[in-house]
Amino acid sequence: MFNFSKPEIDPKYQAGLEKQHKRGKLHAIERIQALLDPGSFTEIYSGVRHNCTEFGMGGKDIPYDGVITGFGTINGRQVAVYSQDFTLQGGSLGFLHGQKIANIIEAAVNARCPLIGINDSGGARIQEGVNALAGYGDIFYNNVRASGYIPQISIIAGSCAGGAVYSPGITDFVFTVKSISLLFVTGAKVVKAACNIDITDEALGGADVHARKSGVAHFFAETEQECFASVRRLLDFIPHYYGDNTGKDAEGRRNPAFKFNKAKRKAIGEVLPEKQSQCYDVHRIIDCLADDGGFLEVHAGFAQNVVVGFTHIAGRVTGIVANQSACLGGVLDCDASDKAARFIRYCDAFDIPLLTLADVPGFLPGPQEEQKGIIRHGAKLIYAYAEATVPKVTVILRKAYGGAYIAMCSRHLKADFVFAWESSEIAVMGADGAVQILFGKELKNGSVSLEEKKEEYRRSFMNPWTAARAGNISEVIRPEDTRDKITAAFDFLQAKKQMSGVKKKHGNIPL
């Protein structure tokens, strides 16, 4: 947690402050103050007022047009921020309200600093009609323009409905708060009227729904203060703009000031269970590789069969993608493929090296996944890895079968180095399935032994040395040497540059 002592609140916010507190929520200005370094916030465009005269709006004064915009610092580094004030016209977005947000996004791009939006709004200001929608359009355009150049973070600190949802949907990271965040295209009343379905707003688009089921939210917090602390921690891991070399020396090398408990180097070899069929928690592997600063998991509640997040390894910020054996055996399905692909593309956009920890039995079979489009979703993962030009290092921990072996950043998708543990298995499929196909007739008439043929298949095809002889594995390694191998590989790749390829505008990712 961080230290925060609340400065004096400007009298212009006092009335709204009490309204929000009665709802159990912080006011827009309190949220900014809780998020930023104390005393660092500078407000801009505070004098903006709407120019709508229809439906009784002519004589209505809405201070700062319902959204506070400005800039300040987090952990000493510049950020731009906006915070919608629900106590003023329900935080509704009119044309000039939208212009203020669009302008702060543009200012963040020009200043090369992260943008943080705190969303708490009833949606478009109906009295302004299509002009309100124009405000949204300008925001969306600037969100897209900023994408991949500066980090964009959305905090859902109340209602975010209708057209408002698409700005967070474009941004890089969405934070939600238990019992406070609501995010949906159409609310429960509209769903009842249109579909005759009774559902609460919370069940339709609450924080837990988006953190665990839809995957819209990347982070879930119990309280607003916990949410703001998580945002601050995220900004300690990620670059603050494309090309940011903070934490590196003049040549772009990693910062040597890091701490690592050397006892973890040996402990990594004790994580895998004795039997291949037994599960384990891949977080234990990550912990053995990471510096003492720990691992910041992204999308922790969603598609838990794959784990993604940020850590430091020997002082270098690293993005990690790992199959999670403890959930569905680490199999890849539609949601896991989407989750990993999005994270990979974020890391590639901001030049964050990628470490892949592979232990994957395949893509999830069955009619449900096929009908959801596992081909299309799995293709996103393959596309993201193949397209990524950052340093890519893969470690095969235990098994990598079939198309999933290819998809988890294999040498064939231009991983720079692929290491495999000595006990790992790399094959088209597991021994049981392979033997059933290869020796089906013989097994049926009893001329061969199932167990003997499975052992023969494992010995001949399912060991890392077979792949190493073919040049598909860079090196077969011991678990306790993993961190050293990874560190050396990323050091070697620190000056890696994108090679020129086929001249084209851009590819067509299978969205």
Side-chain angles (χ1 to χ4, degrees):
M1 296 294 292
F2 58 94
N3 293 322
F4 167 66
S5 68
K6 184 168 65 178
E8 213 51 46
I9 297 291
D10 191 301
K12 69 182 177 183
Y13 303 121
Q14 283 298 339
L17 215 71
E18 295 169 9
K19 290 180 183 177
Q20 280 292 84
H21 290 177
K22 286 179 181 178
R23 298 185 180 103
K25 302 197 295 185
L26 295 176
H27 184 269
I29 191 64
E30 290 181 300
R31 288 164 171 164
I32 291 175
Q33 291 172 339
L35 177 66
L36 302 186
D37 296 336
S40 71
F41 179 63
T42 298
E43 186 174 0
I44 56 174
Y45 301 118
S46 62
V48 171
R49 299 293 187 275
H50 73 87
N51 53 19
C52 178
T53 58
E54 305 294 328
F55 303 103
M57 291 290 287
K60 184 172 289 188
D61 179 55
I62 304 177
Y64 46 87
D65 206 29
V67 61
I68 303 169
T69 60
F71 54 88
T73 63
I74 288 181
N75 301 325
R77 300 196 68 192
Q78 288 289 344
V79 298
V81 62
Y82 71 83
S83 184
Q84 293 177 311
D85 187 346
F86 191 79
T87 70
L88 297 173
Q89 203 69 23
S92 59
L93 186 141
F95 179 72
L96 290 174
H97 180 125
Q99 284 294 299
K100 284 185 68 174
I101 296 174
N103 287 342
I104 198 66
I105 299 172
E106 187 173 0
V109 170
N110 292 336
R112 295 199 301 174
C113 73
L115 171 82
I116 305 168
I118 305 174
N119 298 266
D120 190 359
S121 168
R125 193 173 295 164
I126 297 172
Q127 296 90 332
E128 294 196 27
V130 72
N131 285 337
L133 300 181
Y136 279 128
D138 291 339
I139 294 169
F140 302 161
Y141 178 83
N142 278 2
N143 283 143
V144 173
R145 181 170 173 265
S147 183
Y149 187 68
I150 58 169
Q152 297 182 87
I153 295 169
S154 295
I155 298 170
I156 312 302
S159 180
C160 186
V165 302
Y166 292 108
S167 177
I170 295 168
T171 60
D172 300 304
F173 301 102
V174 177
F175 286 75
T176 55
V177 183
K178 182 179 179 180
S179 302
I180 288 179
S181 303
L182 291 172
L183 192 69
F184 36 63
V185 175
T186 52
K189 291 180 180 178
V190 177
V191 170
K192 172 63 176 175
C195 308
N196 198 30
I197 296 173
D198 288 308
I199 191 169
T200 64
D201 282 342
E202 182 70 25
L204 182 64
D208 193 66
V209 169
H210 290 304
R212 300 185 185 280
K213 295 181 180 179
S214 74
V216 170
H218 301 82
F219 295 92
F220 173 91
E222 293 285 333
T223 66
E224 290 192 59
Q225 290 285 8
E226 180 185 314
C227 173
F228 302 140
S230 295
V231 173
R232 292 173 66 92
R233 185 165 185 244
L234 172 64
L235 289 172
D236 270 346
F237 278 92
I238 60 176
H240 282 211
Y241 56 89
Y242 172 69
D244 180 12
N245 276 328
T246 300
K248 302 176 184 178
D249 65 15
E251 284 74 42
R253 293 175 298 200
R254 59 186 165 85
N255 187 339
F258 64 90
K259 294 181 179 179
F260 176 69
N261 182 352
K262 294 183 179 180
K264 295 194 296 186
R265 184 174 275 115
K266 184 177 180 180
I268 194 171
E270 302 169 0
V271 174
L272 294 190
E274 289 184 12
K275 294 182 179 179
Q276 284 275 7
S277 57
Q278 290 180 305
C279 296
Y280 64 95
D281 187 351
V282 78
H283 290 96
R284 294 176 61 196
I285 299 285
I286 295 170
D287 181 63
C288 290
L289 299 174
D291 295 350
D292 290 350
F295 175 60
L296 178 62
E297 188 169 358
V298 178
H299 259 147
F302 174 65
Q304 295 180 342
N305 39 326
V306 69
V307 171
V308 302
F310 303 104
T311 193
H312 291 89
I313 296 179
R316 177 185 287 105
V317 175
T318 306
I320 292 182
V321 179
N323 301 111
Q324 174 57 296
S325 171
C327 180
L328 299 175
V331 70
L332 291 172
D333 60 6
C334 292
D335 287 343
S337 298
D338 283 0
K339 171 180 169 177
R342 179 184 171 96
F343 181 77
I344 292 160
R345 286 174 64 82
Y346 179 84
C347 290
D348 189 53
F350 287 93
D351 280 339
I352 300 171
L354 281 163
L355 171 63
T356 300
L357 303 176
D359 183 358
V360 60
F363 284 94
L364 184 61
Q368 184 175 359
E369 286 299 301
E370 293 291 355
Q371 291 165 17
K372 282 174 65 177
I374 185 64
I375 297 170
R376 176 168 50 87
H377 293 275
K380 295 178 191 180
L381 177 60
I382 293 169
Y383 194 106
Y385 267 131
E387 183 185 47
T389 59
V390 292
K392 298 181 288 190
V393 174
T394 298
V395 180
I396 299 174
L397 304 176
R398 188 165 64 167
K399 59 183 175 296
Y401 296 161
Y405 151 68
I406 301 292
M408 288 302 294
C409 203
S410 64
R411 187 78 180 94
H412 319 289
L413 298 185
K414 300 308 176 193
D416 296 290
F417 295 102
V418 178
F419 301 109
W421 284 4
E422 295 170 319
S423 59
S424 63
E425 297 180 349
I426 304 164
V428 174
M429 62 177 68
D432 191 69
V435 169
Q436 294 286 351
I437 292 171
L438 294 172
F439 301 98
K441 291 181 180 179
E442 292 87 343
L443 289 169
K444 195 172 182 179
N445 63 32
S447 61
V448 299
S449 163
L450 174 62
E451 291 305 317
E452 286 180 3
K453 286 300 178 184
K454 282 168 61 175
E455 181 56 35
E456 180 183 329
Y457 183 81
R458 288 193 188 97
R459 189 170 57 252
S460 302
F461 297 104
M462 296 185 67
N463 63 75
W465 288 279
T466 300
R469 282 193 292 271
N472 297 322
I473 300 296
S474 306
E475 194 72 17
V476 179
I477 64 173
R478 301 180 304 166
E480 56 266 35
D481 295 332
T482 305
R483 180 180 155 100
D484 291 340
K485 294 288 186 181
I486 291 168
T487 301
F490 281 136
D491 280 347
F492 176 75
L493 296 165
Q494 66 193 9
K496 180 185 177 184
K497 298 293 182 184
Q498 180 177 354
M499 302 299 289
S500 58
V502 178
K503 188 176 181 180
K504 60 183 177 180
K505 187 173 183 180
H506 58 70
N508 183 22
I509 186 169
L511 297 173

